[in-house]
Amino acid sequence: MAKLSKTTKTVIIAAAVLLVLGAVLLVLVMTSPKDSGSSGDSSAVSGEAGTSESSAAADDGSSASSGADEKVVINSCEQENVLKLEVSNQTGSFSFDRASREVSSTDDDGNVSTATQYYWTSPELDGISRNDSTIGAFVRSMAGLSASSMVEEGASDLEKYGLAEPLSTVKVTFDDGTSNEICFGIRNPAASNYVYCCVKGSSDVMEVSYYSTGSAFYDIKDFVSLVLTDAYDSNNPQELEYLTIERKDLSEPVEIEYMFDVAAEAEDEDSVVTTFNSHRITSPITAELDTTSGQTICYGLYALSAASCQYIDPTDEELAATGLDDPYCRVSFKYGGKARVLLLGNEIRESSDDSDEESLSSVTGYYAMFEGDRLIYAISTSNAPWYTFSVQDIMSRRPISPYIYTVDKLTVTTPDGEYAFTIEGDADNHTFRYNGEPLDDTRFKSFYQHLITSMGEELFFDEADYEPYIKVQFDYRSEYYDTYGRSSDVLEFYKSDDRKSIVRVNGDVLYKVRQVYTDRLLSNLDALLNGGDIELNGARLPAAFPDRVK
């Protein structure tokens, strides 16, 4: 018989030992007495011990919240069951009353249904736009209010919870005729996200979430809507028609207008439209807005919001304290068919490191109100660019680019003479003439395209007695004057010593352009009148522009 190896012997011995141990364990289990109910007795003892510890903590006057995790229901109704909320706190007293309206909706199949929608009004906010979202959340939290824990039953010292003289009381009246009044004290020093409360007339102290009940400590002005203007709706577009900014440090108002003619023609692929801006500066200079910084000035009035409401029905003293009795800045505008004037007063400063030193403070916003309104707001600096901007910051580097069919007469004056062109008709039916003779349609459009696409290489404002070199005058049609109140625009070009040309727009020196632009203007004029190629290489065109001229 073969001899077993040492490893094989070890494995056999280990298996035998395990088999014996398993048999012994089975015998012990089968023969041990049943301990019926032992599990329940253990749980009951633990429960009693836990209850005793909690009771002891309560007797000592300490918080029992750590030993009692079950919520305590204070109110158990739905939001729509709240008929009235009456609030009294350190800011004053105010109330909210339930109102209703019928709203309709249409499903995907076109079926129309109606439902009752509840909302809450306040006599203290009569005639003032409310923040229905904030009010609704407050009503909802009070309707189904539950405490996270019972802190102390039958508390003998309510003062330490701030409940001897509550910081706020809220009486909730339900539509079944019942009511409940809750008193709120201080926030839990050890867990500031909780606030102590009790039902009026009871000394049982509970704690509730401060974040769901914090509105009980609000001032009525904290329920004012902070949305000052409507958002832009692409499905029903309402444009900013005009914007006028008057400021104490500006010698003249800055006036900006919507370019109705350009906007209308931009939808037509055959139109000679050379700008993608929507607004133009018309005073104190004439220039299009920069597509980035300039549009911020305009688009800032879309969905404008305030940071907070500071005063309702301000007194003369409050108007003076906020600088709104003599505003630093006036922003007049018409948006969505509604003309309004926004007044901006004093800066709102925030000190660093609790310092009152003005040198250590920073401007975080401005006091604001609408002319003739009852509210003073705080608006953040980022939401009020009109307070600090300069015209140079928002102007485009493109002098002007009038739409071709708003021009009645185009006059180009060069060292060789004066050349007058007339433009008749519209995009569908038109004629371009020089000295009464019709011009080739495509060639004149190309000439005009180059003419109005000059791009300022740099802003330049140095006034001097420059020698005139080239002058371009656009005389507009009566409809243009009726819309914009301007009958002509004039561009003048002057030679400079740096291979650039100085550009004056309606009498104001604004830019320098590359000399190649004026050289190309002269050569294109000669080509238009005498034959030759009209070139666009001297102009910087928008990337999509060539596709828009057909």
Side-chain angles (χ1 to χ4, degrees), residues 265 267-272 403-405 423-432 441 445 477 550:
E265 295 302 329
E267 301 301 321
D268 184 353
E269 292 186 356
D270 294 328
S271 296
V272 183
Y403 175 51
I404 190 170
Y405 299 114
I423 301 171
E424 303 168 6
D426 55 24
D428 296 325
N429 185 17
H430 53 262
T431 303
F432 308 122
D441 186 284
K445 282 184 177 180
R477 300 177 184 181
K550 298 181 180 179

Side-chain angles (χ1 to χ4, degrees), residues 402-410 422-424 448 473-477:
Y403 175 51
I404 190 170
Y405 299 114
T406 61
V407 178
D408 182 55
K409 182 180 179 182
L410 172 67
T422 56
I423 301 171
E424 303 168 6
Y448 189 87
Q473 180 163 329
F474 303 88
D475 293 312
Y476 299 116
R477 300 177 184 181

Side-chain angles (χ1 to χ4, degrees), residues 476-495:
Y476 299 116
R477 300 177 184 181
S478 58
E479 311 92 82
Y480 188 93
Y481 178 83
D482 293 340
T483 302
Y484 298 110
R486 191 169 64 258
S487 59
S488 64
D489 279 320
V490 179
L491 291 178
E492 295 172 287
F493 297 88
Y494 305 87
K495 289 185 176 181

Side-chain angles (χ1 to χ4, degrees), residues 453-472:
T453 50
S454 65
M455 183 67 76
E457 294 290 308
E458 61 182 275
L459 296 177
F460 184 77
F461 304 103
D462 294 348
E463 290 286 352
D465 294 328
Y466 302 112
E467 180 182 350
Y469 178 48
I470 299 174
K471 177 181 176 182
V472 180

Side-chain angles (χ1 to χ4, degrees), residues 429-457:
N429 185 17
H430 53 262
T431 303
F432 308 122
R433 297 182 186 275
Y434 171 67
N435 285 341
E437 296 297 322
L439 295 169
D440 178 80
D441 186 284
T442 301
R443 289 171 58 78
F444 183 80
K445 282 184 177 180
S446 295
F447 170 75
Y448 189 87
Q449 176 180 333
H450 173 266
L451 184 68
I452 62 176
T453 50
S454 65
M455 183 67 76
E457 294 290 308

Side-chain angles (χ1 to χ4, degrees), residues 153-410:
E153 294 185 14
S156 58
D157 182 11
L158 291 176
E159 185 173 354
K160 69 179 180 179
Y161 301 109
L163 291 168
E165 295 183 8
L167 300 181
S168 175
T169 60
V170 180
K171 182 179 180 181
V172 190
T173 302
F174 300 99
D175 53 10
D176 63 358
T178 62
S179 63
N180 200 6
E181 191 165 355
I182 299 96
C183 303
F184 294 93
I186 63 172
R187 295 167 76 167
N188 185 338
S192 60
N193 54 325
Y194 290 99
V195 61
Y196 297 120
C197 73
C198 67
V199 175
K200 188 172 184 179
S202 170
S203 58
D204 293 342
V205 178
M206 300 163 280
E207 61 179 9
V208 295
S209 168
Y210 178 80
Y211 298 112
S212 62
T213 60
S215 297
F217 300 90
Y218 280 8
D219 191 300
I220 185 61
K221 67 178 183 288
D222 296 322
F223 296 96
V224 170
S225 173
L226 301 179
V227 177
L228 307 186
T229 62
D230 294 333
Y232 186 85
D233 183 1
S234 58
N235 294 321
N236 182 29
Q238 299 287 320
E239 305 297 345
L240 177 69
E241 296 185 27
Y242 68 79
L243 169 62
T244 301
I245 302 158
E246 302 168 86
R247 215 168 59 200
K248 288 188 174 182
D249 64 332
L250 298 176
S251 57
E252 297 179 68
V254 176
E255 298 178 3
I256 298 171
E257 297 178 359
Y258 183 70
M259 297 189 288
F260 288 97
D261 56 325
V262 172
E265 295 302 329
E267 301 301 321
D268 184 353
E269 292 186 356
D270 294 328
S271 296
V272 183
V273 177
T274 58
T275 178
F276 296 97
N277 288 334
S278 58
H279 292 81
R280 175 189 292 131
I281 304 170
T282 58
S283 177
I285 61 172
T286 301
E288 292 182 14
L289 285 177
D290 179 79
T291 53
T292 303
S293 60
Q295 294 300 345
T296 301
I297 293 293
C298 295
Y299 295 161
L301 288 167
Y302 299 163
L304 176 63
S305 63
S308 62
C309 177
Q310 296 290 305
Y311 299 100
I312 298 175
D313 295 320
T315 63
D316 290 342
E317 291 76 14
E318 289 166 342
L319 287 169
T322 56
L324 289 166
D325 59 336
D326 182 23
Y328 174 75
C329 180
R330 293 172 57 91
V331 182
S332 306
F333 63 97
K334 186 175 183 180
Y335 170 49
K338 185 177 182 180
R340 307 174 78 180
V341 179
L342 178 67
L343 308 176
L344 299 175
N346 292 343
E347 297 174 338
I348 298 174
R349 289 185 169 270
E350 187 174 288
S351 298
S352 304
D353 301 325
D354 299 324
S355 172
D356 292 330
E357 297 284 340
E358 185 170 325
S359 59
L360 298 178
S361 65
S362 59
V363 178
T364 59
Y366 314 102
Y367 291 108
M369 73 182 303
F370 284 108
E371 192 170 65
D373 200 9
R374 300 167 51 195
L375 304 173
I376 293 180
Y377 302 95
I379 293 184
S380 67
T381 53
S382 60
N383 279 6
W386 318 284
Y387 204 94
T388 56
F389 85 101
S390 66
V391 174
Q392 294 91 326
D393 295 335
I394 66 171
M395 61 188 286
S396 168
R397 299 301 191 267
R398 185 188 306 281
I400 56 173
S401 53
Y403 175 51
I404 190 170
Y405 299 114
T406 61
V407 178
D408 182 55
K409 182 180 179 182
L410 172 67

